[in-house]
Amino acid sequence: MRLTRTEGFRLTTLFAGIFLLAGGIVFALVYWISSQALEDQVRVEIRREASELMQPRPTAEGLMMRIRIKLAGSGHFHYLLVGPLDNRLAGDIAALPQAVGWSRQALAGGETEDRSEKNLLVWGERLPNGNRLWVGASLQRVSEAQEAIRSAFGLGLAAALVAAVAGGVMVSLGFLRRVDAINRTTRAIIGGDLSHRVPVSGSGDELDHLAQNLNAMLARMENLMDNLRQVSRDLAHDLRTPLTRLRQKLESASREPARREAEIAAALKEADELLDVFNAILRLAQIEAGQPTFAPVALSGLLSGLADTYRPLAEEQGRFLQARVEAGLMVSGNHALLTQMFVNLLENALTHTPPGTPLEIGAARAGRGVRTWIEDRGPGIPAHERDRVLRRFYRLEASRSTPGSGLGLALVDTIAQRHGLRLQLSDAGPGLRVEIFFPAAAA
Amino acid sequence: MKLLLIEDDADLAAYLVRGLKEAGHTVDHAADGKGGLFLAAGGNYDVLIVDRRLPGLDGLSVVKTLRGADVKSPVLFLTAQGGVEDRVEGLMAGGDDYLAKPFAFAELLARISALARRPPLSEQTTRLAVADLEMDLVKRTVTRAGQRIDLQPQEFKLLEYLLRHAGQVVTRTMLLENVWDFHFDPKTSVVETHVSRLRAKVDKGFDSELIHTVRGAGYSLHAPDAD
């Protein structure tokens, strides 16, 4: 049975066992101590009765009289007075105890008690005149109390055991139900539907943590699968055109000797562009799969260096490239990747805005982190397109005619993700503002 | 120059050997790591061209072994993996330069020349000069025909690299890697723009040009009568 194999059930059984053992020990202690206490009390009462009979000291006949009176009354004591020759003088205890002192006797006949049980506690003493007196009392009270303790413990333990087993079954069934839900989800995913998610109960327990982690893993996998599907589709689509052009050029070169040189040069250029696309895809894959080494990076130096590198290019296009970089900013990251990320953004701004459009690159402390930005005064990107431009091969209609693989911003996004940076595209009114937030400045 | 090519791709190897011979070099070829190691240990090569992915003993191990055996010939790694991490790994193993496949043949030629003529530890150099162009590395000043030329820091770095490789062909990629520390291909004409700015300062207004464009390959800085 599956139920008995669950961890919940196993633990319940273990704890029920431990509980029973502890209960048993407590029962034994209570039983023994209370029996002793009750019996001691009976002894005290017997001694008191015996001394009451002897105070003040009566004659032999007087004592016999007192015994008879007591027996006729409603007291619960039993007596026996025996002469020196073991002759019974008075009393209702059937058998003659062997010695004075404490002993146990069966009760006299005619009593309701079970005779086989020596249920009578007796105390005997030798009197000065040679007679012996025994006084006894029934231990029925003690056995009744013992019986009560036994049944109370029995009932209590049984009830606790039932509760423990029921609780264990419930916990185990709940656990099994949730594990079953996880299994159903995984089976659905193995079946090919990556959109399933493990239900989260909201109680914040270990199973919930497991479910949340599984869901995060699934989301990442689904994302990767989507990417892969998208990339394969886009590759097929985006590479067919340049490959066709390459083929046409080579064909024309082989047919028309006069144009050979020009066509081969054009074919080489076409091949280079194809290689560029492949390199960009490879680079994306490398960055996604690799474990880049992180080190403190002097961000201010990197950004002002890039501004110096690109200012001449901007000026050639009649642009003004403004750098507003706060000095002394350090972040943690991979220098080569961060360089490529900012270069891609700068080149994007340079290629996708009309000549003469001013640009700005900047960085400033923001709280505990650093905010960097690159903005232009160009046409910008419509709000509903801003998420899409980060996708691979996605290109705005307006930029179809400009050179580019459609992978530049995807690469920026990937590098930002590998660094745990937040990338935000917004309207610079007019123009595009790309902001990258570093969560914490490096020490 | 005497070169050793360790490359397992037969087509590529044949193409490279032919090209290098046409460029006037003597080329030996090994198709796997062991054969390459054997040849490299015996011959005195000016440059070793080593593919990183080889059957059996891989390129990285070949170079490590050679360096361990005190073979000092400069090594140029060829690789299909162009990542920064791979590059660092290759340089750590004792490689001197790194070229990612696919590459233009002119790029390979330029890098081989640069490696072979690498001066032995010129860190002590304080002054570089070609014809009447002089650079003082301590004072960070440049003069041509005694006339002071003001350069931006990046222009200075660019000219320094050209001067250190005077007489050689320096490719666009070599400049990107060594002057700008860009280990990727920018989409804009970074190198061309900076070279043309540098030219405007170094060559314009003087009787001879020192910075030459080598078609299909890159740039070369040399005295006007050098070729």
Side-chain angles (χ1 to χ4, degrees):
Chain A
M1 195 175 150
R2 272 184 70 211
L3 181 64
T4 54
R5 272 184 282 140
T6 63
E7 198 52 38
F9 193 83
R10 233 171 278 165
L11 279 178
T12 311
T13 320
L14 179 68
F15 283 120
I18 291 174
F19 179 77
L20 273 182
L21 186 70
I25 291 170
V26 171
F27 164 73
L29 279 173
V30 167
Y31 189 81
W32 184 73
I33 288 171
S34 55
S35 301
Q36 285 302 312
L38 283 168
E39 203 176 306
D40 282 351
Q41 205 187 329
V42 175
R43 282 169 202 260
V44 168
E45 284 171 9
I46 290 172
R47 291 295 293 270
R48 199 189 295 134
E49 181 68 15
S51 56
E52 205 182 296
L53 276 174
M54 300 301 291
Q55 289 300 329
R57 179 164 298 178
T59 57
E61 286 72 21
L63 185 56
M64 285 157 69
M65 184 71 76
R66 279 186 182 175
I67 289 170
R68 280 190 206 102
I69 293 167
K70 285 272 183 192
L71 282 172
S74 61
H76 56 272
F77 291 98
H78 301 274
Y79 312 89
L80 180 60
L81 185 64
V82 176
L85 302 169
D86 286 351
N87 49 327
R88 296 177 67 98
L89 299 173
D92 59 345
I93 297 171
L96 177 68
Q98 306 212 321
V100 292
W102 289 108
S103 64
R104 278 173 193 248
Q105 300 295 323
L107 197 58
E111 289 285 334
T112 53
E113 297 300 316
D114 181 6
R115 280 181 213 183
S116 67
E117 235 176 272
K118 294 195 168 176
N119 209 11
L120 198 63
L121 184 63
V122 294
W123 163 257
E125 57 188 276
R126 201 176 289 278
L127 302 179
N129 58 6
N131 290 348
R132 280 161 294 162
L133 170 68
W134 280 276
V135 177
S138 166
L139 284 173
Q140 197 187 347
R141 267 196 300 152
V142 178
S143 11
E144 272 167 13
Q146 284 172 339
E147 179 60 33
I149 291 169
R150 271 200 301 273
S151 57
F153 264 94
L155 273 175
L157 284 177
L161 198 61
V162 167
V165 171
V169 167
M170 260 165 62
V171 167
S172 308
L173 279 180
F175 184 82
L176 277 180
R177 208 169 47 237
R178 290 173 67 187
V179 170
D180 272 343
I182 295 175
N183 279 332
R184 266 198 306 282
T185 311
T186 32
R187 273 197 300 272
I189 289 157
I190 293 166
D193 186 353
L194 272 171
S195 66
H196 279 260
R197 289 296 177 269
V198 178
V200 177
S201 75
S203 62
D205 60 4
E206 299 87 337
L207 267 184
D208 262 14
H209 285 302
L210 178 66
Q212 276 156 3
N213 284 338
L214 278 174
N215 284 344
M217 185 184 81
L218 287 172
R220 171 107 176 106
M221 271 171 62
E222 193 181 12
N223 195 295
L224 286 176
M225 288 295 293
D226 277 355
N227 259 341
L228 196 64
R229 237 173 264 151
Q230 176 82 18
V231 166
S232 330
R233 232 187 345 253
D234 292 339
L235 259 184
H237 182 264
D238 269 61
L239 293 184
R240 193 161 46 204
T241 319
L243 278 171
T244 313
R245 281 203 301 262
L246 177 63
R247 193 180 182 287
Q248 281 165 354
K249 278 170 185 135
L250 290 173
E251 206 175 72
S252 131
S254 68
R255 260 202 328 261
E256 302 166 54
R259 295 174 48 85
R260 181 159 296 163
E261 200 127 321
E263 291 290 14
I264 286 179
L268 272 176
K269 199 164 157 275
E270 206 71 61
D272 281 344
E273 272 170 31
L274 276 168
L275 283 173
D276 276 352
V277 174
F278 272 109
N279 281 337
I281 293 169
L282 257 176
R283 190 112 180 87
L284 265 173
Q286 268 179 349
I287 294 167
E288 273 180 353
Q291 293 291 326
T293 42
F294 280 30
V297 173
L299 189 65
S300 303
L302 193 155
L303 292 180
S304 22
L306 288 180
D308 289 345
T309 302
Y310 281 92
R311 192 167 291 115
L313 280 91
E315 284 169 2
E316 271 191 355
Q317 300 179 354
R319 298 163 185 271
F320 179 61
L321 172 60
Q322 170 100 331
R324 294 183 192 274
V325 180
E326 202 178 306
L329 297 175
M330 295 289 288
V331 294
S332 167
N334 182 291
H335 191 276
L337 291 181
L338 290 179
T339 305
Q340 180 156 25
M341 182 173 78
F342 287 114
V343 163
N344 276 18
L345 288 172
L346 272 171
E347 295 195 329
N348 242 7
L350 281 169
T351 45
H352 294 301
T353 57
T357 311
L359 307 175
E360 181 176 312
I361 179 168
R365 251 172 271 269
R368 295 190 55 235
V370 175
R371 181 176 85 97
T372 61
W373 66 91
I374 286 166
E375 64 181 76
D376 61 60
R377 293 271 172 270
I381 297 177
H384 63 277
E385 299 257 54
R386 280 184 204 136
D387 281 339
R388 277 184 252 170
V389 292
L390 297 179
R391 280 196 220 150
R392 289 159 194 213
F393 295 112
Y394 189 83
R395 306 194 63 190
L396 295 173
E397 275 316 310
S399 62
R400 284 269 161 207
S401 53
T402 53
S405 57
L407 290 168
L409 276 179
L411 196 63
V412 168
D413 190 35
T414 305
I415 295 175
Q417 278 182 24
R418 290 301 275 160
H419 283 76
L421 311 179
R422 190 159 62 84
L423 175 67
Q424 185 179 304
L425 275 59
S426 58
D427 192 353
L432 175 66
R433 179 187 299 123
V434 181
E435 287 166 292
I436 292 167
F437 297 89
F438 290 80
Chain B
M1 263 189 277
K2 198 178 169 201
L3 310 175
L4 172 63
L5 172 68
I6 311 178
E7 165 66 61
D8 62 320
D9 181 335
D11 282 347
L12 180 62
Y15 166 72
L16 291 180
V17 168
R18 199 174 63 232
L20 290 169
K21 279 185 176 156
E22 276 170 15
H25 298 296
T26 315
V27 190
D28 287 336
H29 169 237
D32 60 26
K34 260 190 196 154
L37 198 57
F38 182 78
L39 285 175
N44 229 341
Y45 293 101
D46 295 305
V47 176
L48 309 177
I49 306 153
V50 183
D51 189 11
R52 273 210 42 188
R53 198 175 290 178
L54 290 168
L57 197 63
D58 70 286
L60 218 54
S61 312
V62 169
V63 173
K64 272 188 195 156
T65 312
L66 285 174
R67 291 295 184 246
D70 218 21
V71 173
K72 290 201 176 81
S73 313
V75 168
L76 171 65
F77 273 120
L78 298 182
T79 180
Q81 313 140 316
V84 178
E85 309 289 319
D86 293 310
R87 202 173 51 82
V88 170
E89 207 177 44
L91 298 185
M92 298 277 281
D96 299 272
D97 200 1
Y98 203 95
L99 190 53
K101 294 179 189 171
F103 49 84
F105 190 73
E107 182 78 38
L108 177 68
L109 268 186
R111 286 185 187 247
I112 290 170
S113 313
L115 277 181
R117 285 187 236 162
R118 177 172 281 191
L121 284 174
S122 57
E123 300 303 318
Q124 307 298 327
T125 316
T126 58
R127 197 182 146 277
L128 298 167
V130 165
D132 55 354
L133 178 67
E134 288 184 32
M135 173 178 271
D136 188 322
L137 292 170
V138 181
K139 290 192 204 145
R140 317 287 298 170
T141 56
V142 175
T143 57
R144 175 141 192 215
Q147 223 172 306
R148 174 83 180 255
I149 298 174
D150 280 321
L151 295 179
Q152 299 291 318
Q154 291 189 357
E155 291 166 342
F156 188 91
K157 229 175 145 185
L158 173 59
L159 184 60
E160 182 187 338
Y161 188 81
L162 289 170
L163 277 167
R164 281 186 188 275
H165 295 84
Q168 303 170 17
V169 175
V170 170
T171 66
R172 185 170 163 269
T173 321
M174 286 161 81
L175 289 174
L176 283 171
E177 287 176 6
N178 294 291
V179 178
W180 284 279
D181 202 18
F182 281 10
H183 298 281
F184 51 89
D185 196 7
K187 295 282 158 285
T188 49
S189 48
V190 173
V191 175
E192 293 79 352
T193 306
H194 280 267
V195 169
S196 95
R197 289 224 157 187
L198 183 64
R199 250 186 194 144
K201 290 185 178 177
V202 171
D203 282 343
K204 210 173 180 185
F206 297 94
D207 3 315
S208 55
E209 285 196 350
L210 298 180
I211 302 172
H212 305 265
T213 302
V214 183
R215 264 200 59 163
Y219 304 94
S220 181
L221 188 147
H222 55 77
D225 49 340
D227 36 8

